[in-house]
Amino acid sequence: MFNWRKVTGWLLLVLSTAAIAEQYNLGKPASEKVIAGWDIDVRPDGLGLPKGSGSVEEGEALYDQKCANCHGSFGEGEGRWPKLAGGEDTLRDERPEKTVGSYWPYASTLWDYIHRAMPFNAPQSLATDEVYAITAYVLNLNELVDGEFVLTQDNLATIEMPNKNGFYVDNRPDVANPRCMKNCKDPESIKVIATIAGITPTDHFKHDGNDGVAYQESAVGVTATPEVVKTYQNACKMCHDTGLNDAPKTGDVAAWQKRLNQGKPAIYNNALKGINGMPAKGGRTDLSDEMVKSIVDYMLELSE
Amino acid sequence: MNWFSSTEQQQLLKTLERESEKLHFTERRHFLKNALVMAGSGALALHGGQALAGNQNLPPNVPQWTGKLGDGVLTNPYGQPSKYENQTIRRTVPWLTADAISSISMTPLHSLKGIITPNGLVFERYHAGVPTINPDEHRLIIHGLVDRPLIFTMDDLRRFPSVSEIKFLECPANGGMEWKGPQMEALQFTHGMISCCEWSGVRLSTLLDEAGVKPQGKWILAEGADGAAMARSIPIEKALDDTIVVYAQNGEALRPEQGYPLRLVNPGWEGNTSIKWLRRLEVGDKPWHMREETSKYTDLMPDGRAQQFSFVQECNSVITSPSPELPFKGGKGWYEIEGLAWSGRGKIKAVDISFDGGINWQQAPLKGLVLSKCLTRFSTMINWHGDPMLLQSRAVDETGYVQPTLKQLRAQRGGNSIYHKNAIHTWKVNANGSVQNVQLA
């Protein structure tokens, strides 16, 4: 039987969907437990810091093991890796050194960044107390805390960074250029400064032999697939190109020959299970055994 | 010239390989690469010579591709550019960063037309490489000072009303290598940290309404799921204005390089605020002062203090043709001078071109779409008589802001601010048609 009440109800429903368009009831409530796993941010006032502590002394050992190869034993920075310490009173210089001590406004940023993104080859692998310890040691490298210092969730926000007042909120537009159309400057005043040649890759349009991307190319004769080469670059290169954590360098014939003397299966086994400073599969347990072995082959090939 | 037969070439390479073993690993690679280029150029020259000698594909001959059948459908289920376009690629300057995993590559602006950047050519900037994310296992959490903390699947997000907008995305370090003097010899490196796409997704304001922002919520922390867990603080005014939570670019799903499956796009703002691989949005009452908004992406001024939260990409422009990569190859005669202009504050109102290093200017017509916070094309025709020129472009946006000279910027900000160099750029066109990057003192 025809039911008018049902029809009216249906019409009301249709109309109401438009009326409450601001809420769609999509997604699910996020529980505190779910949020807690991802809620890692820390603010200058200490909000977000988990309970824990770490000493400068503990930090030094961890730093030497996990940080020094890129950032240098004293935070001086290897190659183009970031310098962490020094640089006091250089911010007005021709070549300013922006380090934790000379530039960073808050200690919380240091804790937060080490926790979220360091060490570079194994982000979010440090335990809470290890983050406190390494943070304490980097502060000590910058002479902001003494060697006996123990950093905790309670004292981090009280640390005053030297450049705390060195920032202000963007005030641009800060220049005004009048839109002049004719005789805007004296032709005699124009002095042309040319580019320093030879420091940017130009071979793709000048055929001048300046090929800045050569470092990405595989060496001649390598049989590894692009996937293997790419995985090597993402997962292994960090240590094996540089000798980080005493890793045998790719291309170091003597170092690899020594290992080859124990037989290839022994090398595979070490790569899969870990040895000395190297964790199982270099910390990349998501890689298949076959991939790890192929990468070993690739590294051996480059080190013949 | 082909100096070597192929057997000789192989022998030569073997010898080079043996020689190179004495070198350090990286040097060895350089050495071998250069050797390959040398040996390879011989083969290339031979190849080119044959094509020119025969002329079999030029009229009045019937080209070889006309006389036979080509590939059928689905030969390439996902189409690729012509093999002859293999130089239209992103490039980087290796010494800029310590490692390719935390680095930047630039868009080949000289090779592109119109305002849309093809997805495979959008400049890349990673702080910890590109994560490989399974979209079924990806989640977005909104929490903090909200009435209803929520967690969304990708399917949830696709059910919200969507928007599609064409916006540029620019790294604030675009041109930053040139504060103290001209360094880069190519347009791709002076201006290539910019791209422009049609972005599709949900307005962030829609999602925030769904969660219900509490009155004390003034800032939003956006965080990525990459190894850097890249995070930035964004003022609520921007979040409620035009920020988009994006899942598609130029019609297809986001590319992994661009944040697949989900990213933020803050139109007109420095690129790093448009967090890629977006996993979390937390509403708070203050900014967080993350590493990427204190140690980095702050602009050091001559007095030793630094500008922070310098979000807007100010009005900028560059001539893309001619450029070092696109010289006047054909001698005297007519050429189209073309370029790009953009402003993070809105639409481009006008672009002026100077041929004499900024003594005199003439307005150049804009062409195609003129949209807010979007790349805008300008062009003009010139009959070039072979005279050297100092070519410049100067953009004006709808706020009336006129793109400044480098001299003006330096006077205000010194030479160490790294970011936000939007100065008028100068190309020196030489009598032989070649083009150089120069600066005017």
Side-chain angles (χ1 to χ4, degrees):
Chain A
M1 212 178 93
F2 201 80
N3 186 333
W4 274 106
R5 281 173 70 177
K6 264 190 188 168
V7 173
T8 317
W10 178 242
L11 279 175
L12 276 175
L13 185 73
V14 169
L15 290 172
S16 70
T17 52
I20 57 153
E22 282 196 349
Q23 210 178 317
Y24 298 96
N25 292 315
L26 295 170
K28 292 208 160 50
S31 70
E32 274 180 33
K33 193 182 159 199
V34 162
I35 294 168
W38 282 10
D39 185 6
I40 58 172
D41 53 88
V42 174
R43 264 185 3 187
D45 57 10
L47 189 74
L49 274 175
K51 199 169 163 351
S53 68
S55 68
V56 168
E57 200 185 336
E58 290 158 345
E60 181 173 8
L62 287 163
Y63 179 94
D64 286 346
Q65 188 194 337
K66 293 171 186 278
C67 320
N69 273 291
C70 293
H71 294 293
S73 297
F74 305 99
E76 73 276 19
E78 296 286 346
R80 294 193 66 81
W81 298 102
K83 185 178 168 73
L84 298 181
E88 298 85 4
D89 301 320
T90 63
L91 298 182
R92 282 181 298 275
D93 293 358
E94 176 62 23
R95 293 195 173 276
E97 290 182 0
K98 296 191 279 185
T99 71
V100 173
S102 72
Y103 195 61
W104 293 35
Y106 303 107
S108 63
T109 310
L110 184 59
W111 197 100
D112 177 278
Y113 189 68
I114 293 170
H115 180 228
R116 78 172 51 238
M118 290 289 115
F120 184 63
N121 57 341
Q124 297 190 19
S125 64
L126 297 170
T128 299
D129 286 350
E130 290 181 321
V131 179
Y132 276 106
I134 296 171
T135 305
Y137 184 63
V138 175
L139 292 171
N140 175 258
L141 283 175
N142 281 286
E143 297 172 12
L144 299 172
V145 299
D146 64 37
E148 307 299 311
F149 186 75
V150 179
L151 187 68
T152 72
Q153 76 275 9
D154 295 323
N155 63 13
L156 191 140
T158 65
I159 293 167
E160 286 228 347
M161 301 294 277
N163 196 39
K164 184 181 80 165
N165 297 319
F167 294 83
Y168 59 98
V169 172
D170 175 24
N171 65 3
R172 296 170 304 150
D174 52 356
V175 290
N177 184 18
R179 193 181 171 197
C180 168
M181 298 302 283
K182 292 279 165 226
N183 303 316
C184 302
K185 57 181 164 187
D186 176 5
E188 299 297 315
S189 74
I190 294 179
K191 204 175 100 191
V192 178
I193 299 165
T195 312
I196 318 151
I199 61 166
T200 51
T202 46
D203 207 25
H204 57 287
F205 65 98
K206 289 208 307 205
H207 306 290
D208 57 359
N210 184 10
D211 179 354
V213 294
Y215 79 106
Q216 289 176 338
E217 304 285 329
S218 298
V220 178
V222 163
T223 53
T225 64
E227 188 63 22
V228 168
V229 175
K230 196 177 126 189
T231 312
Y232 168 79
Q233 287 177 346
N234 294 344
C236 320
K237 189 182 98 168
M238 179 78 193
C239 293
H240 285 285
D241 254 19
T242 58
L244 196 75
N245 297 327
D246 296 324
K249 281 194 198 182
T250 308
D252 183 341
V253 179
W256 285 99
Q257 191 53 52
K258 206 171 80 187
R259 285 161 176 82
L260 260 182
N261 291 340
Q262 305 158 15
K264 236 183 194 183
I267 302 182
Y268 287 149
N269 197 47
N270 291 341
L272 292 170
K273 301 209 168 123
I275 180 169
N276 303 327
M278 172 166 158
K281 296 183 176 177
R284 286 290 302 274
T285 45
D286 59 306
L287 299 178
S288 70
D289 289 5
E290 286 316 302
M291 176 53 83
V292 173
K293 287 180 187 173
S294 300
I295 292 171
V296 170
D297 293 342
Y298 171 58
M299 291 164 71
L300 286 170
E301 208 172 353
L302 291 173
S303 313
E304 280 169 7
Chain B
M1 279 176 299
N2 189 21
W3 293 90
F4 308 106
S5 74
S6 65
T7 332
E8 280 170 337
Q9 238 179 57
Q10 278 175 3
Q11 275 173 345
L12 174 74
L13 284 176
K14 286 269 178 217
T15 315
L16 288 170
E17 207 179 350
R18 275 198 303 277
E19 289 288 327
S20 74
E21 278 169 14
K22 295 165 199 155
L23 298 171
H24 177 266
F25 181 56
T26 319
E27 288 168 344
R28 179 168 173 259
R29 284 180 160 198
H30 273 288
F31 182 73
L32 290 171
K33 180 73 201 330
N34 286 338
L36 265 186
V37 169
M38 277 169 55
S41 63
L44 201 73
L46 179 72
H47 201 77
Q50 272 177 342
L52 279 176
N55 261 342
Q56 77 271 30
N57 291 323
L58 294 176
N61 299 321
V62 175
Q64 52 167 326
W65 46 81
T66 307
K68 62 178 183 187
L69 299 177
D71 293 335
V73 298
L74 292 185
T75 303
N76 297 303
Y78 192 102
Q80 299 292 313
S82 159
K83 66 176 182 178
Y84 299 104
E85 294 300 320
N86 63 2
Q87 287 303 300
T88 301
I89 52 173
R90 297 185 280 229
R91 291 186 175 83
T92 189
V93 179
W95 51 262
L96 281 178
T97 52
D99 192 285
I101 289 168
S102 178
S103 190
I104 189 149
S105 72
M106 294 79 152
T107 294
L109 295 178
H110 59 283
S111 302
L112 303 181
K113 301 299 275 186
I115 58 171
I116 298 289
T117 311
N119 288 338
L121 296 174
V122 174
F123 79 95
E124 305 162 281
R125 172 70 174 112
Y126 316 134
H127 294 79
V130 184
T132 304
I133 298 177
N134 178 345
D136 295 339
E137 297 170 351
H138 187 72
R139 295 291 181 273
L140 173 66
I141 293 180
I142 301 183
H143 70 112
L145 297 174
V146 295
D147 298 327
R148 296 171 291 278
L150 292 170
I151 181 165
F152 298 103
T153 63
M154 290 304 299
D155 284 343
D156 293 334
L157 294 170
R158 286 174 185 277
R159 286 172 61 182
F160 282 99
S162 61
V163 295
S164 292
E165 295 183 354
I166 306 175
K167 302 291 179 190
F168 77 78
L169 208 59
E170 183 182 24
C171 176
N174 203 10
M177 295 83 86
E178 309 236 309
W179 272 104
K180 291 181 178 176
Q183 287 204 83
M184 298 290 142
E185 294 181 73
L187 167 66
Q188 189 162 6
F189 305 130
T190 60
H191 288 81
M193 299 181 196
I194 188 166
S195 298
C196 186
C197 296
E198 185 192 35
W199 306 101
S200 300
V202 191
R203 279 246 181 273
L204 177 53
S205 60
T206 305
L207 298 181
L208 291 175
D209 283 344
E210 195 76 6
V213 176
K214 290 186 175 9
Q216 59 276 40
K218 299 293 176 213
W219 287 81
I220 293 185
L221 183 77
E223 183 181 86
D226 57 324
M230 176 73 189
R232 289 282 325 240
S233 307
I234 295 154
I236 192 86
E237 294 80 10
K238 179 69 174 178
L240 294 176
D241 178 19
D242 59 357
T243 303
I244 316 172
V245 175
V246 164
Y247 43 70
Q249 67 180 112
N250 294 335
E252 64 178 355
L254 280 173
R255 290 289 172 92
E257 305 99 294
Q258 293 306 315
Y260 181 85
L262 195 67
R263 75 171 303 166
L264 216 57
V265 166
N266 281 310
W269 280 22
E270 55 182 22
N272 60 84
T273 64
S274 292
I275 298 292
K276 298 192 277 191
W277 313 290
L278 183 70
R279 72 164 196 176
R280 191 166 71 94
L281 294 162
E282 180 175 356
V283 181
D285 59 348
K286 292 176 196 166
W288 279 260
H289 297 279
M290 289 284 131
R291 188 248 196 183
E292 315 298 345
E293 53 203 21
T294 52
S295 167
K296 306 289 172 188
Y297 304 112
T298 47
D299 311 40
L300 186 61
M301 296 290 130
D303 68 357
R305 296 189 306 146
Q307 299 213 26
Q308 193 182 16
F309 302 121
S310 40
F311 294 124
V312 170
Q313 292 297 109
E314 294 190 288
C315 186
N316 202 347
S317 72
V318 68
I319 289 170
T320 55
S321 178
S323 56
E325 295 100 315
L326 291 179
F328 287 156
K329 272 193 211 162
K332 297 172 187 176
W334 286 97
Y335 289 93
E336 184 182 37
I337 297 199
E338 208 186 12
L340 292 165
W342 62 96
S343 168
R345 292 200 180 93
K347 287 182 188 172
I348 291 297
K349 191 169 82 182
V351 178
D352 305 320
I353 293 181
S354 173
F355 300 94
D356 54 15
I359 301 166
N360 298 297
W361 295 86
Q362 66 181 60
Q363 195 169 333
L366 306 181
K367 64 178 180 184
L369 294 170
V370 179
L371 301 172
S372 179
K373 305 174 188 179
C374 180
L375 287 187
T376 303
R377 277 277 168 195
F378 60 88
S379 82
T380 192
M381 292 298 296
I382 66 154
N383 190 357
W384 185 56
H385 299 298
D387 305 319
M389 297 189 289
L390 291 171
L391 259 186
Q392 297 182 324
S393 65
R394 177 181 71 185
V396 184
D397 71 18
E398 63 179 333
T399 71
Y401 175 93
V402 180
Q403 187 184 351
T405 65
L406 185 55
K407 205 173 167 183
Q408 289 168 330
L409 275 190
R410 276 204 200 118
Q412 180 66 26
R413 303 185 201 159
N416 281 322
S417 59
I418 302 176
Y419 308 104
H420 300 112
K421 187 180 112 350
N422 64 321
I424 292 169
H425 194 78
T426 311
W427 296 132
K428 180 167 179 270
V429 180
N430 299 309
N432 66 2
S434 66
V435 178
Q436 286 172 281
N437 176 23
V438 299
Q439 290 182 0
L440 303 185

